[in-house]
Every structure is written in C-alpha cells, then in structure tokens.
Amino acid sequence: MTSHQTPPNPETAPRPKIKKLEVMVAEVIRETPDTATLVLFTGNDRLDYKPGHFLTIDPHQFPALERFIDYFEETKGKKEPARAYSLSSAPHEQYLAITVKEERYIPQVTQYPPLLSPLMVWRIQPGTRMVVTGFGGPYVLPDDIGDRTDHLVHICAGSGVVPNMSILKHALTTEPKLRHTVVYGNKTRRDVIFRRELDELTNRHPDRLEVVYALSRETKAAGYGENYHSGRVDVDLVRKHIRDPSAVEVFACGPAVSKWDRLAAKEAEQTPKPRFMETVLEALDTLGVDKNRIHRESYG
Ligand SMILES: Cc1cc2nc3c(=O)[nH]c(=O)nc-3n(C[C@H](O)[C@H](O)[C@H](O)COP(=O)(O)OP(=O)(O)OC[C@H]3O[C@@H](n4cnc5c(N)ncnc54)[C@H](O)[C@@H]3O)c2cc1C
C-alpha cells in the first residue's frame, strides 16, 4: 500500500531509477488564471515513470531567481530545496508534462513570497531548457489494483488533481474493468484545472467515469450542470459517491496543514485549522473506509 502519514519529502521518498534529465519546454498551456502546464520534450531519453510519480526541479538553476535565493537562504538559514511537481502526463503519452499552480504571498498569513511556482507559471517560455530529476514517490496505482477494487474514487482539491489526472488517464486505458469517480474541489469554476479534458474523458467513458465539481465560492454552482455543487468537499458529498466503503480504493490529493501552519498555530497557542486533507480523512473515517484503501498526497 502507498498510504502514508506525512507529505512525501522529495529528498527521501522512494526513487526508482532516479536520474537527471535535461528537458526543453515544448509548449506552455494556460489551464486557469494561475495554473500552467509545461509540456516537456526529453529527446530520446526513455521515460520510466508510473502515473502519480513526481519529478523535482532545483530552483538554483534559474539565473532569474539568484537574488531571491541568496536572500531566502540567508534569512531562513538553510539551502532552498528542490520543489516537487507531479506529472500530469501519463506514461502512454508521447510527452512528459507537469502542471504548476502559482502559490500566492498573502500578507500577514504567509511568511515568505513563494520562490519557484511564479517563475514556472509566468516566466517559462517554449524553448526554455531546464534540468529535472525524476521520477519517484509512493502515490501510484498498486499493480494489483484490478484485484483490489472495481471503483476508484479520486478526491482532490486545486493542483491536487495533477497526479490523479495521470492515474485516471492511465487507468482508463489499461484497466478496462475499473470505474472512476472524481470529486474535485475548487473556489470557482474558473479555477478548475483540466475541466475540458475531464469533461471529454467523461463523454468518452460515460459508464466508467463520473466527475463531480465542488465550488466553495459559487452559491449557484448547480446552474453549470447537475455534477456541480456549491460548497466544499465534505462528508455528505463524499458519502454520496462512495456506495460501498468496504470496496472502494481512494486516491486523495490536495492541501493539508503544513509544518508552517503548525508552527504559526503553536506560536499563537492555537490548534491549526483543518485543511482539505484533514477534512477528507475525517470524512473517510466516518464512512468506514479502511486506512489501507486510502492513498494520499498533500502539498501544503
Ligand atoms: C509530492 C509533491 C508533489 C507536488 N506536485 C505539485 C504539482 O503537481 N503542482 C503544483 O503546483 N505544486 C505541486 N507541489 C507543490 C510544489 O512542490 C511547491 O511546494 C509549490 O509550487 C510552491 O513552491 P514555491 O517555491 O513557489 O513556494 P515556496 O517558496 O516553497 O513557499 C511556499 C510556502 O511556504 C512558506 N515557507 C517557505 N519557507 C518557509 C520558512 N522557512 N518558514 C515559514 N514559511 C515558509 C512560504 O511562506 C509559502 O507560503 C507538490 C509538492 C509535493 C511534496
């Protein structure tokens, strides 16, 4: 099982055949107002990865970040680590792709401005070369998934949909008996990453895929269609889509309470406010889904 308790550390997570690859950005696709997919051309390198794997990108390679890195490393007192990005492409596809959502600096809330994601979303142009390291991570489909279940439930928020998109595309192609439900939370419809692609996949596989959108800042979401709901992903929405809690396999990905949230709460002598992942895990526990059937990855 690949269920794990803490967000995977890109430095220590299992690394099957990890290697550095020099890639060239072939295309930049604007997915939402703050998210872009970078399609990466890898030359003749064999791409040995599983759906759900991530690669890492070292920010030190970008001259545009040099000053920020010097400042951050001095202020934070440690080297800026490589950032992890899940692959949004699936192994059967020709190109490698990552999909990055820009982190925001929120005065009084976040301590530092984000380093790498704004560059990835706004400054990278087709033709840019960069070095990526990959591929790894435990958030992948078990090889025996077909024996374990016939219903995969993907519960995602924001950029948490990225590894699930890879898993979904792959499983729709290679596991014909597997049915999928995607429960996907965002603030507004404009923030839904891969909306067109998800809707196309649903049209192509009407018996095997259902996608449900939860929009936390839209009060009349049902106006977009019967698969749209106003509000956050909560226990009632999850219950509606898990008919047999003893038989599903769940892949949940999205923000969780981060170590920075925990530190800030400790300083304020408070308990950190639950985020998406904490809410989802509590809902799954309430519904009686066995922990061994829950795979999770969090970015917070
Ligand atoms: C396995 C995995 C897969 C991921 N996949 C994706 C993906 O597919 N798409 C995607 O968009 N993102 C993904 N992420 C998140 C990604 O790795 C980055 O964390 C994200 O892009 C933000 O990086 P950044 O350099 O822009 O921000 P950072 O510079 O890392 O800052 C992020 C936040 O951390 C705070 N922070 C940083 N250092 C400190 C400190 N010393 N003290 C207090 N606060 C601090 C900052 O204030 C800010 O709020 C993934 C993460 C993991 C672990």
Side-chain angles (χ1 to χ4, degrees), residues 60-278:
H60 293 87
Q61 66 185 295
F62 301 104
L65 296 180
E66 225 172 83
R67 273 157 287 168
F68 298 104
I69 291 179
D70 287 348
Y71 176 73
F72 285 151
E73 290 187 344
E74 192 182 17
T75 322
K76 298 179 188 176
K78 66 182 185 72
K79 195 167 180 272
E80 282 293 343
R83 270 53 168 176
Y85 293 101
S86 305
L87 296 162
S88 47
S89 53
H92 64 276
E93 295 177 326
Q94 188 180 4
Y95 293 108
L96 205 62
I98 57 171
T99 301
V100 183
K101 184 177 172 86
E102 180 195 19
E103 282 263 343
R104 302 308 291 259
Y105 175 64
I106 309 168
Q108 318 291 324
V109 177
T110 45
Q111 199 169 338
Y112 298 100
L115 178 64
L116 186 59
S117 59
L119 179 107
M120 290 286 128
V121 173
W122 297 114
R123 304 277 294 277
I124 298 290
Q125 303 286 338
T128 304
R129 287 176 187 279
M130 64 174 115
V131 174
V132 303
T133 305
F135 305 96
Y139 189 72
V140 291
L141 267 187
D143 290 338
D144 62 347
I145 190 69
D147 301 331
R148 299 176 60 90
T149 188
D150 63 356
H151 187 201
L152 221 70
V153 177
H154 307 252
I155 310 180
C156 312
S159 61
V161 75
V162 175
N164 286 64
M165 190 66 193
S166 178
I167 291 170
L168 179 66
K169 287 188 288 187
H170 179 78
L172 283 171
T173 309
T174 59
E175 299 283 346
K177 290 194 182 134
L178 213 51
R179 233 166 20 90
H180 300 260
T181 304
V182 179
V183 179
Y184 182 19
N186 280 286
K187 291 191 182 94
T188 71
R189 189 164 181 256
R190 264 161 50 102
D191 298 312
V192 175
I193 305 171
F194 307 134
R195 182 163 51 82
R196 192 170 308 148
E197 217 174 332
L198 285 167
D199 291 347
E200 274 169 18
L201 284 173
T202 314
N203 289 337
R204 215 177 311 147
H205 303 278
D207 304 330
R208 294 179 54 211
L209 172 61
E210 184 184 16
V211 182
V212 176
Y213 300 107
L215 305 179
S216 62
R217 295 202 187 156
E218 298 221 23
T219 48
K220 294 180 181 158
Y224 296 124
E226 57 186 18
N227 56 335
Y228 283 83
H229 298 261
S230 296
R232 291 174 187 276
V233 175
D234 61 12
V235 66
D236 291 333
L237 191 61
V238 174
R239 179 183 286 118
K240 232 166 131 180
H241 297 282
I242 295 191
R243 265 172 245 148
D244 184 355
S246 67
V248 289
E249 197 92 359
V250 177
F251 276 75
C253 188
V257 171
S258 70
K259 68 174 175 180
W260 314 122
D261 297 334
R262 254 182 236 113
L263 272 173
K266 199 173 163 196
E267 268 173 30
E269 297 182 356
Q270 291 169 350
T271 41
K273 219 171 128 222
R275 297 186 72 194
F276 166 82
M277 187 57 73
E278 288 76 24

